[in-house]
Amino acid sequence: MNADITGTTAAEIADSVRALRERGMLRPGDALPPVRELASLLGVNRNTAVSAYRQLAQAGLVISRGRGGTLIAGSGGVAQEGVADTVLHDVASGNPDARLIPDPTKALGRIVGRPVLYGEPVIDAELEQWTREWMLADLPRDDLQVCVTSGAVDAVERLLAQALMRDDAVALEDPCFLASIHTVRLGGYRAIPVPVDDEGMTVAGVRAALDAGVRAIISTPRAQNPTGVSLSPARAAALQDVLAEHPYVLIIEDDHFSLLSPHPYASLIGPQHRRYALVRSVSKFLGPDMCLALAGTDPVTAERLAMRLSPGTTWVSHLLQRLAHAQLTDADVRAQIAAAATHYAQRNATFTAALEQHGITTNSSDGLSLWVRLEVPARVAADKLMRQGWLARTGDEFRLDDAAPTSHHLRLTVHDLSDADAARLIGDLVAAQR
């Protein structure tokens, strides 16, 4: 089949693979030849083959598995966060409670004003000043620059694209947030798993990733998805010591739960680290449809991001920026956000305590969901729960290594359950273990 791939330019090679896929000669899961082998086969430069695979990845036609090679992507949808189209009671969504998202009606009246035209600054001036103060309170860096993107996933994708090439290695938490897995794979980067324990990314795991040559690290300092773990100050200090010898490795911290977390912000970003980005989206407390994230970065990273957010083409709507700023500076909205934080923490703590009475454990300390450890494989438990009317998400979906042992964890979003439904789910979880 390798001999059927033709072309001398990246576009021609990509079109050849696309045609083979459309004719059924390449099927989902089929492996494409390694970059060097393809370049040799076609008599082209390695960078040409790299560019062809990147085009295919960006089109969603192939998926990079790192050392597992580049595979033809399936036609089915990949696992995503959010509400499922199902008649089952969905405890797999990972969503905030819609009742706790502030109503923007009042703020909408405060954002009218002069229209923004082509060529104007990408970030709204008032939002930039507020964000700078917010970021500097937790990350006191003299070189910090403020950027805005269309959500945290957009920020991570742009940050990786401005710093990496195809086949570059990226360290990811294992288990990992679904969007990070997809972003890295579709970008054609190699995912290097770093285990997560009760204090965050492990020191040994980060050290091994650095030895493997990673050029970027994506970390969740608070409410890691799916485990709910937050980085401890002691672990953060230990990781900063390890990273001190690698100041140009890009550290991306996705602090998605920022205003909702009861834990203080602890960071991998040391005072002398040269390439970094602290990303904070507003989706968990102002709503996913806000589609806006703020980032504090070093000047070089900020400059490269600015090139990918040209005014008038890929900027973030200033109306959206002004709406976010109007809400974030409103005392009533901030009080609602604080009340939501208390609600999530209390509901999850109550459910956790009830589970522990039945010998079922969770080490989740933060976030919207719980990471529940079972005695039976998660897929077995999920199937039993489905027969009782529940849709749960297994830990297998969050693994980086498809060949890893079967997960014994379920990620459950339970904060919006009534007391009666919570009690019923606990009973069904206990029964699923028998």
Side-chain angles (χ1 to χ4, degrees), residues 230-243:
S230 291
L231 185 65
S232 72
R235 178 63 56 78
L239 291 174
Q240 284 188 21
D241 288 343
V242 172
L243 289 161

Side-chain angles (χ1 to χ4, degrees), residues 91 347-348 351 368-370 412-418 422 425:
V91 288
R347 294 299 295 175
N348 285 343
F351 196 90
L368 294 176
S369 303
L370 296 175
L412 302 175
T413 306
V414 300
H415 57 74
D416 55 350
L417 294 180
S418 67
L425 176 57

Side-chain angles (χ1 to χ4, degrees), residues 4 25 44 51 102 182 185 197 200 215 237 281 303 306 385 426:
D4 293 329
M25 299 175 71
V44 299
S51 179
H182 301 150
R185 287 178 174 173
D197 64 16
R215 292 182 176 271
S281 77
E303 181 180 2
L385 289 175
I426 290 170

Side-chain angles (χ1 to χ4, degrees), residues 191-313:
I192 305 298
V194 177
V196 173
D197 64 16
D198 291 349
E199 297 186 70
M201 277 183 157
T202 65
V203 174
V206 170
R207 186 176 287 117
L210 292 169
D211 290 342
V214 296
R215 292 182 176 271
I217 297 173
I218 303 176
S219 169
T220 313
R222 293 184 278 198
Q224 196 268 344
N225 191 347
T227 67
V229 167
S230 291
L231 185 65
S232 72
R235 178 63 56 78
L239 291 174
Q240 284 188 21
D241 288 343
V242 172
L243 289 161
E245 298 179 5
H246 304 270
Y248 289 95
V249 170
L250 174 63
I251 298 175
I252 302 173
E253 292 193 329
D254 181 5
D255 192 22
H256 67 102
F257 212 60
S258 55
L259 292 184
L260 293 172
S261 178
H263 296 275
Y265 168 70
S267 177
L268 272 65
I269 304 167
Q272 304 302 320
H273 204 84
R274 302 298 294 273
R275 298 289 180 266
Y276 66 88
L278 168 57
V279 180
R280 287 173 169 170
S281 77
V282 302
S283 62
K284 297 301 185 294
F285 39 87
L286 295 185
D289 200 40
M290 284 296 286
C291 239
L292 183 143
L294 303 157
T297 78
D298 65 89
V300 172
T301 300
E303 181 180 2
R304 291 174 176 173
L305 272 182
M307 294 174 63
R308 295 178 174 273
L309 286 165
S310 303
T313 55

Side-chain angles (χ1 to χ4, degrees), residues 17-82:
V17 173
R18 185 194 299 266
L20 291 170
R21 181 178 182 272
E22 289 174 347
R23 293 198 297 267
M25 299 175 71
L26 284 173
R27 300 179 181 277
D30 285 349
L32 294 179
V35 166
R36 293 186 185 279
E37 180 182 326
L38 180 63
S40 175
L41 176 72
L42 299 178
V44 299
N45 186 282
R46 177 183 180 276
N47 289 338
T48 300
V50 167
S51 179
Y53 279 5
R54 181 181 291 118
Q55 290 179 29
L56 291 165
Q58 290 172 345
L61 299 177
V62 302
I63 296 175
S64 174
R65 298 294 192 190
R67 292 175 181 169
T70 300
L71 310 179
I72 297 295
S75 57
V78 293
Q80 298 286 347
E81 296 284 11

